[in-house]
Amino acid sequence: MSPRGRRAVLPPADFVVEPPIAADGLVVTMVNKAGHEKRFDFADLSVPAPMQRSLAVVFAAQQPRWNSHITATSAWRRLAVFAEFVSGLDSVPEDLPDLDAAVLKRWRLRHVKTNTGRTTLRVVHRLLRTDPRLSTGAVAEELARRVPAPKPVRKSYNESERERVLLAAGRQFRSAWLRIAENTALLEKWQAGTLDERSREGKLGKILEHLARVGDVPRTQLPSGKMAVTNWRLLGGRDGEHTWGRLFLSQAELTALAVLMTDRFGWNLSVFDRLPAPTRAPSVAETANITYQVQIEKRRAGNSRWFSTENITDSGADSPGRLITQALAATLQGRLLAARLAPGTDLLMTARSSLLAGSSSTDLDRPQPLGPLIFGVSGADAKEWADTHHLSGSPFRRLRRTTVTREGKPLQHTQDTHESVYVIPDETVQEASQEVFEDGALEALDQAKETVFRGRLASAPEPGHGQTATADCADETTTAWPAEGGGCGADFLLCLACPNAHVHPGHYPRLALLHEQVDSLQSVLPEQLWYSRWGEHAQRLNNLASRVGPTAWTTARRRVSDTDRTVVDLLLKGQLAP
């Protein structure tokens, strides 16, 4: 059985898998997940024919691993860079086995300093390592050398930059959503038979029905052969907004919707190409809120982790699910038309091409246009949208990075990727964290000042001082911890934090033993428990020991008496009252 529960069908008996490499050994055909083919001619590479064929073989061997043309094309371009480097050598190698370690070292030095170069090295070396003739010797060692990872240089938006992007996207999509909602309501009234055919609304309803059915308003062919809008005065204009835009999003409006979704959900741009229309999740006795199930496809996560499901709830105007509700309404007529043109099609991100005859696409990794409809958002669409709104480059990567760092948790990626790619190298995060680091350092300094020995070291006891379990007290009436009935209410361990404490050599044995016993508790108690109970006292004893000196402290440990052991045992058990 297949993973979806359908019985697997065996291929015909005479079925033969076509090899990816042609008989001449130079043309490699790569088939993507959708079954579309793309050919790569290695005769175009500027290296000798034997090396062309060898590179074609290692390239063709990747067919089982690659499922998109964009991956294959990227690798092909990097092999072309390698071929150009080889062809520029004083002595051009005839084939891959003729490469030596010195050549590969020169190749590495040329490219290892830049992000693009590092990626090129990584891709080319991975391909070359699959050639068994390069699996041993100095060349193999050079190919196996670690290539540093590219340094992330992208920066998330600060709040003002993000607001500017969202304001532009929000205005554009909201205007389109309201326009389509108004015309959809009019179409539904016409279909319900509640409009007079002779009224303006009735005439518009009839046009909208034609538009919903074929994807365009009625047009008349002029003597010149051009097609003109038949009812342009009634519609209010000849442009897309007044004609087919009454029921369909334009590509720019669809891109604005994708911008808002990226900010809200942190999805990659490629997710929008294959995003099915969300479905309503089953609910029990729930009428006020709507929960949608959204299927996310992310192919770069690996075959076993391509698909995931997110539940998104529309519980009000500011809830994440409200954007899903609006997106479903804005793309409804587009999805209905797509389902009529190709039953089973139900992609959420559907728009109407501005071309009357529809459009074609050379990117066979993305869903192909269907009649006048187009699907998803391409990198070119994103750049054009950014140029229109006077932004510096496509907003999607920076906006996704902004969302991930704002959420503070991984979104469709691992914890390691979240920290190493999104959070740690992000310049905006670093700038925002500067104040936090400064506050933390000051807090740590204050805490360190509070956890040192604050009394005085004396050479001998003073007759007028009172004795405590850990030190002599000069004045218990000026304590920082006054008791309810007068005097000092501090725990005896806190005596070392009091300015009134005096410590002389007679105290050293007992304090050295206490220091040792507190440290030994760290190995038997849970870490959090030890720090909460003994951490500050241990730091004060460490500070006191450093001030007394290691020699005097170690010598004092040898003079511990039975009384000292008894007092320390009671201190550790908390049985000594102040």
Side-chain angles (χ1 to χ4, degrees), residues 523-540:
S523 63
V524 297
L525 292 177
E527 183 178 11
Q528 187 174 0
L529 177 60
W530 185 87
Y531 274 105
S532 64
R533 178 66 182 90
W534 302 106
E536 291 187 7
H537 303 308
Q539 291 181 61
R540 290 193 184 94

Side-chain angles (χ1 to χ4, degrees), residues 63-81:
Q63 171 68 83
R65 296 178 57 248
W66 293 341
N67 55 65
S68 70
H69 289 164
I70 190 172
T71 301
T73 302
S74 175
W76 158 261
R77 289 172 178 166
R78 298 183 193 284
L79 281 178
V81 173

